[in-house]
Amino acid sequence: MSVKNSPASPDSQKTDARKARAPMHWALKWALGTLALLLAGFVSVLTVIGIAMAVAFPNLPDISDLSDYRPKLPLRVFSAEGTLIGEFGEERRHLTRIQDIPKVMKDAVLAIEDARFYEHGGVDYKGMARAALANLGRIKSQGASTITMQVARNAYLSTEKTYTRKIYEILLTFKLEHMLTKDQILEVYMNQIFLGNRAYGFAAASEAYFGKPLKSISIAEAAMLAGLPKAPSAYNPINNPKRARSRQLYIIERMQENGFITADQAEAAKHEELKVKTNSDNTGVHAEYVAETVRQLMFAQYGEDTYTRGLNVSTTLRTEDQAVAYTALRRGIMNYERRQVYRGPEQFVSLPNTPAELEDMIVDTLQDHPDNGDVMSAVVLDANPKKIQAVRQNGEVIEITGEGLKPAQSGLSDKAAANIKIRRGAVIRVVQTPNKTWEITQLPEVEGAFVAVDPRDGSIKAMVGGFDFAKNKFNHVTQAWRQPGSSFKPFIYSAALERGVTPATVINDGPLFFSAGVTGGQAWEPKNYDGKFEGPMTMRRGLAKSKNMISIRILQTVGAQNAQAWATRFGFDAEKHPAYLTMALGAGSVTPLQMATAYSVFANGGYRINPWLITKVTDQKGKVLAQTQPPVADESRRVIDARNAFIMSSLLQEVTRSGTAASAQAKLKRPDLYGKTGTTNDSMDAWFAGYQPTLAAITWIGYDTPRKLGDRETGGGLSLPVWIEFMAQALKNVPVMEPAVPEGVVNSGGEWFYTEYSGGSGVSALGMNSGTDTEQPEVIQLPPADEKKRILDLFKN
């Protein structure tokens, strides 16, 4: 039986329709509800952000000062040629305006830090999303911050990674973008960012890492510097060259991808060999003592502002002269050190056998023993009487053999004491010889000083205050009060010229004995340096041969008090030179700078011109704050007659021609050299003081705590070679100059005389009694009792 379907009733059809619409209705309601919730959430977020902005914006720091960006800038000291010789301040900064920053540097920074810098409004929203995910997921950030955001963070905010700080950073970024131009923001960034090695900004970093101004850098160097902001320590080319190189290559590729450089330029940059400065680089001019002197002078004037207001100080220092002075003094001291007993290694460490541990141990050890210029540190890997194998700070393994072992032969002996024995793990010092072999040495204990001034105006041209500023910051040029020894004799002779003594006066180089009755105390008998007496000789010859008996007899004639007063004309302090006969042998106290001033009086014809160093002081914008006008040698500065200076120069020229400093003219092959050697009692101080009409220079060598330099060590043997090495370079293109004959001087029989004494009316002879001298000086005095022994000891040798 078949069954037919009957038509549905209207009610049933409506029910079915409602059933069909139900899912759509609930889906729509859910969608609308969700949309409403999202909209409400969005509105809530906007409300919260609005409230946050309303609360936070007024609390944002004032950024108006960035429109005229003036960071804390260090004190910078320059030579006369504009070479940077010193910088003082917690931060190294060289403020460079955006128009002066080379395009290659800007391109390198933009390529790696913010390629769309000139396109976006300060916030890279995609980058923000990445940063949020990184912070939420606790994974390493991918560097989403734009340059503007970095300026905001570095200038005003902390570096903590919180959402609150991020909100402040974004708000401050908008404020910066609103108030400053893109170029102003980039200028602040490129001057403000810390780049390691105490360098802030790319101009300072260029000097710190490459030793060159920012305007001179190449693509490869710019890429290396641009890699530093991310992690100045990790990508430091000095400490982490491999990581720095890897990032540099990546930045070069980014520069090419962004169209800043061509493929050929990129390829060339990748293969360019960079010369990165190291902390022990010796390429710059060593003028640390000069720079420190300037710092002290500036601090006395400007106080703590000295280190923050960007003062630029120009000096009278000549770069070439300073470099030669530094090298010459160090060479003289090291030559002396080669003659000393080996004192042993600086330290002993136990070296592991595994290569990795060994490398770490050597690095750690040598960090405490940095290279001292050309005197380098090394750790001994193996040692025997015929060979030392050692490794330097840079990982170079060196071998010392033959002549290179001689300075430390005692340390290689089987019988050497434990503290002297050179063995595996010993920290030693080495130098490279001119023929590229290695020689063992040691850091010297002896010190030295060198200063050169232009006698015509007193400007300081070179000043080296010691062997090494890092080792000893005491400036021996300005601070060391030492006995000048025979180098003081010319001032006694100068006084004698005014008392009728002439270069032709014959004086007896014979024994002198002063009894206890004469001295009022202990009897004493002074000696010449060599202990010998040569009998009668002229004053000229007596000075050339530095005869002590001649000087004492001259001082007896002049009178100790008269000589003391005369010495003050040259700038010496009377209280430092008591009026006793010991003045004749230089028993007073002087500084090398005083000696330079005093000898300049002879060099310039009789004028005393105080030495000076600073020519100009400017602020960061170039405004002149102070300027020095070179002093003029006029009659108001005259302290001795021109004829006195002329005859003294003639006597001092004889010293460099045939006397104790004869090697000066012999080696320099010029006659216009004048000077005097000086060696104090027991060879505790070694001097040479001399000049050419355009340059007066002083060399001193001795121990800080006075002790014997050695029985055979003299001013002529120790200090004169330093002076000669300096003058050989400093006078290279200077023509021979000899002083004109002044009024009141005549030449008779080949000798110079004051006109009034040319006919023999001057003092013809001194101390010509036979045998032991019984002459009484004008004033025979010895110092007070507590000084008597020291003075008497001076005359024993």
Side-chain angles (χ1 to χ4, degrees), residues 251-471:
I251 293 173
I252 292 172
E253 292 173 358
R254 290 282 295 161
M255 292 177 74
Q256 182 185 348
E257 291 171 7
N258 283 279
F260 293 133
I261 58 175
T262 66
D264 289 343
Q265 288 176 314
E267 194 63 24
K270 289 178 181 178
H271 290 89
E272 180 180 332
E273 183 178 349
L274 301 187
K275 295 181 179 178
V276 179
K277 285 178 63 178
T278 64
N279 293 328
S280 60
D281 268 352
N282 200 24
T283 54
V285 58
H286 283 277
E288 294 88 349
Y289 290 98
V290 177
E292 172 60 15
T293 300
V294 171
R295 183 199 69 79
Q296 293 176 14
L297 293 171
M298 290 296 98
F299 187 81
Q301 180 70 28
Y302 298 103
E304 290 297 336
D305 288 347
T306 299
Y307 310 118
T308 59
R309 64 182 294 181
L311 297 176
N312 294 312
V313 183
S314 299
T315 69
T316 58
L317 202 75
R318 281 200 297 243
T319 303
E320 288 187 8
D321 287 354
Q322 179 66 21
V324 173
Y326 175 82
T327 301
L329 182 62
R330 283 177 66 94
R331 194 191 319 278
I333 289 175
M334 290 308 297
N335 285 341
Y336 168 79
E337 192 59 47
R338 286 187 182 91
R339 300 191 290 273
Q340 306 312 301
V341 173
Y342 185 62
R343 296 183 292 274
E346 295 177 15
Q347 184 184 354
F348 296 95
V349 294
S350 180
L351 297 181
N353 294 319
T354 59
E357 291 179 344
L358 176 62
E359 183 177 350
D360 289 343
M361 174 63 78
I362 289 170
V363 170
D364 291 343
T365 299
L366 294 183
Q367 281 182 346
D368 296 330
H369 302 269
D371 289 347
N372 189 303
D374 55 351
V375 184
M376 294 165 276
S377 59
V379 175
V380 174
L381 300 176
D382 188 35
N384 60 61
K386 293 187 177 180
K387 184 175 73 173
I388 294 176
Q389 187 181 65
V391 59
R392 288 185 51 220
Q393 283 183 326
N394 60 2
E396 178 187 5
V397 176
I398 62 173
E399 288 189 355
I400 309 169
T401 59
E403 292 293 316
L405 297 172
K406 280 192 173 181
Q409 200 67 53
S410 60
L412 294 169
S413 170
D414 292 335
K415 298 180 180 179
N419 64 321
I420 296 176
K421 180 74 173 177
I422 299 173
R423 56 187 182 273
R424 180 177 170 83
V427 178
I428 61 172
R429 292 283 167 172
V430 296
V431 293
Q432 195 166 32
T433 65
N435 59 1
K436 302 302 180 183
T437 61
W438 291 96
E439 179 179 281
I440 189 169
T441 187
Q442 56 192 344
L443 284 176
E445 293 181 343
V446 75
E447 273 293 353
F450 185 93
V451 61
V453 304
D454 186 332
R456 297 167 296 184
D457 64 8
S459 56
I460 296 174
K461 300 304 179 185
M463 183 168 74
V464 186
F467 179 78
D468 181 72
F469 184 76
K471 175 174 170 276

Side-chain angles (χ1 to χ4, degrees), residues 626-647:
Q627 194 159 10
T628 303
Q629 294 298 326
V632 178
D634 55 29
E635 290 306 305
S636 67
R637 299 178 186 274
R638 180 172 291 286
V639 292
I640 63 173
D641 285 345
R643 62 181 187 170
N644 187 298
F646 176 82
I647 291 182

Side-chain angles (χ1 to χ4, degrees), residues 472-738:
N472 187 348
K473 293 178 174 55
F474 185 80
N475 189 340
H476 297 84
V477 168
T478 60
Q479 296 176 283
W481 291 93
R482 308 293 296 217
Q483 288 187 348
S486 295
S487 63
F488 193 78
K489 289 177 180 177
F491 308 106
I492 307 300
Y493 280 55
S494 172
L497 293 178
E498 303 302 312
R499 295 279 171 156
V501 181
T502 74
T505 297
V506 177
I507 307 169
N508 184 24
D509 177 33
L512 275 170
F513 178 81
F514 297 90
S515 67
V518 173
T519 65
Q522 184 178 351
W524 53 276
E525 186 177 7
K527 303 287 185 182
N528 284 319
Y529 174 79
D530 59 5
K532 299 176 182 179
F533 303 99
E534 297 186 30
M537 63 178 65
T538 63
M539 184 173 84
R540 174 179 292 276
R541 193 65 185 151
L543 184 62
K545 301 193 75 173
S546 198
K547 290 293 186 176
N548 290 340
M549 302 303 103
I550 303 292
S551 296
I552 293 173
R553 284 189 165 94
I554 288 175
L555 183 55
Q556 285 181 281
T557 299
V558 173
Q561 290 181 341
N562 293 329
Q564 180 193 51
W566 187 260
T568 62
R569 293 173 176 246
F570 296 85
F572 296 116
D573 303 322
E575 63 273 15
K576 298 284 188 181
H577 300 273
Y580 307 121
L581 287 182
T582 52
M583 261 201 308
L585 306 185
S589 296
V590 301
T591 68
L593 189 59
Q594 274 192 333
M595 293 292 278
T597 303
Y599 271 76
S600 291
V601 174
F602 295 140
N604 63 32
Y607 305 97
R608 193 177 99 198
I609 304 177
N610 291 327
W612 57 288
L613 184 60
I614 296 174
T615 58
K616 185 169 61 175
V617 181
T618 62
D619 64 14
Q620 60 175 312
K621 290 190 173 182
K623 179 183 177 182
V624 177
L625 303 178
Q627 194 159 10
T628 303
Q629 294 298 326
V632 178
D634 55 29
E635 290 306 305
S636 67
R637 299 178 186 274
R638 180 172 291 286
V639 292
I640 63 173
D641 285 345
R643 62 181 187 170
N644 187 298
F646 176 82
I647 291 182
M648 284 307 305
S649 287
S650 173
L651 294 173
L652 292 170
Q653 187 179 38
E654 189 67 35
V655 177
T656 66
R657 187 186 71 82
S658 65
T660 56
S663 59
Q665 288 195 36
K667 291 183 178 179
L668 295 176
K669 309 295 184 185
R670 55 188 302 156
D672 58 338
L673 303 174
Y674 316 82
K676 182 70 186 74
T677 55
T679 310
T680 61
N681 184 51
D682 287 335
S683 299
M684 290 187 182
D685 299 89
W687 294 82
F688 185 76
Y691 58 90
Q692 189 268 353
T694 65
L695 200 59
I698 311 296
T699 307
W700 166 84
I701 292 176
Y703 289 99
D704 279 340
T705 301
R707 69 175 195 254
K708 291 182 66 171
L709 290 164
D711 291 337
R712 297 184 180 182
E713 305 294 353
T714 66
L718 270 180
S719 293
L720 178 58
V722 175
W723 190 90
I724 291 174
E725 182 176 344
F726 172 79
M727 285 296 194
Q729 294 298 319
L731 300 179
K732 211 165 195 177
N733 298 312
V734 178
V736 171
M737 301 170 61
E738 296 198 55

Side-chain angles (χ1 to χ4, degrees), residues 52-61 175:
M53 291 181 67
V55 173
F57 205 83
N59 295 322
L60 291 177
K175 191 173 183 179

Side-chain angles (χ1 to χ4, degrees), residues 41-354:
F42 183 67
V43 171
S44 298
V45 170
L46 288 179
T47 302
V48 171
I49 292 176
I51 294 172
M53 291 181 67
V55 173
F57 205 83
N59 295 322
L60 291 177
D62 181 16
I63 63 170
S64 58
D65 57 335
L66 284 186
S67 61
D68 184 21
Y69 180 57
R70 296 183 183 182
K72 291 182 179 180
L73 297 174
L75 167 69
R76 306 181 78 209
V77 186
F78 299 89
S79 70
E81 301 87 352
T83 302
L84 180 67
I85 60 175
E87 194 170 27
F88 298 92
E90 292 182 5
E91 304 171 357
R92 293 174 177 165
R93 290 188 191 270
H94 304 175
L95 181 59
T96 309
R97 295 303 176 190
I98 191 68
Q99 62 268 23
D100 298 323
I101 298 174
K103 184 177 183 298
V104 65
M105 190 69 253
K106 289 184 281 190
D107 289 345
V109 169
L110 293 176
I112 191 62
E113 292 295 331
D114 194 352
R116 295 179 58 250
F117 173 71
Y118 282 98
E119 299 171 18
H120 61 62
V123 177
D124 184 346
Y125 295 101
K126 293 181 179 179
M128 278 186 60
R130 288 196 304 270
L133 289 172
N135 207 21
L136 195 62
R138 302 185 181 224
I139 61 174
K140 188 176 179 181
S141 172
Q142 300 303 309
S145 295
T146 64
I147 283 177
T148 311
M149 293 169 75
Q150 291 184 59
V151 170
R153 179 171 61 248
N154 294 333
Y156 298 107
L157 303 174
S158 68
T159 57
E160 60 177 342
K161 292 186 177 182
T162 65
Y163 288 111
T164 301
R165 187 202 58 78
K166 199 68 178 178
I167 290 172
Y168 270 91
E169 182 180 309
I170 294 169
L171 294 177
L172 192 54
T173 295
F174 288 142
K175 191 173 183 179
L176 285 169
E177 288 278 345
H178 176 70
M179 295 189 64
L180 304 179
T181 66
K182 286 287 189 179
D183 278 351
Q184 285 178 311
I185 294 171
L186 186 60
E187 178 181 294
V188 172
Y189 175 81
M190 299 197 74
N191 282 283
Q192 174 201 65
I193 194 74
F194 176 63
L195 300 172
N197 209 19
R198 291 201 301 119
Y200 286 77
F202 288 94
S206 180
E207 294 279 3
Y209 292 107
F210 299 120
K212 61 168 60 176
L214 188 61
K215 64 182 180 181
S216 303
I217 64 169
S218 64
I219 293 173
E221 290 166 336
M224 182 68 80
L225 295 179
L228 290 167
K230 182 175 181 178
S233 178
Y235 297 111
N236 186 316
I238 296 175
N239 300 328
N240 292 295
K242 290 182 180 178
R243 295 184 71 178
R245 169 66 172 163
S246 176
R247 185 156 176 80
Q248 177 213 27
L249 295 176
Y250 173 64
I251 293 173
I252 292 172
E253 292 173 358
R254 290 282 295 161
M255 292 177 74
Q256 182 185 348
E257 291 171 7
N258 283 279
F260 293 133
I261 58 175
T262 66
D264 289 343
Q265 288 176 314
E267 194 63 24
K270 289 178 181 178
H271 290 89
E272 180 180 332
E273 183 178 349
L274 301 187
K275 295 181 179 178
V276 179
K277 285 178 63 178
T278 64
N279 293 328
S280 60
D281 268 352
N282 200 24
T283 54
V285 58
H286 283 277
E288 294 88 349
Y289 290 98
V290 177
E292 172 60 15
T293 300
V294 171
R295 183 199 69 79
Q296 293 176 14
L297 293 171
M298 290 296 98
F299 187 81
Q301 180 70 28
Y302 298 103
E304 290 297 336
D305 288 347
T306 299
Y307 310 118
T308 59
R309 64 182 294 181
L311 297 176
N312 294 312
V313 183
S314 299
T315 69
T316 58
L317 202 75
R318 281 200 297 243
T319 303
E320 288 187 8
D321 287 354
Q322 179 66 21
V324 173
Y326 175 82
T327 301
L329 182 62
R330 283 177 66 94
R331 194 191 319 278
I333 289 175
M334 290 308 297
N335 285 341
Y336 168 79
E337 192 59 47
R338 286 187 182 91
R339 300 191 290 273
Q340 306 312 301
V341 173
Y342 185 62
R343 296 183 292 274
E346 295 177 15
Q347 184 184 354
F348 296 95
V349 294
S350 180
L351 297 181
N353 294 319
T354 59

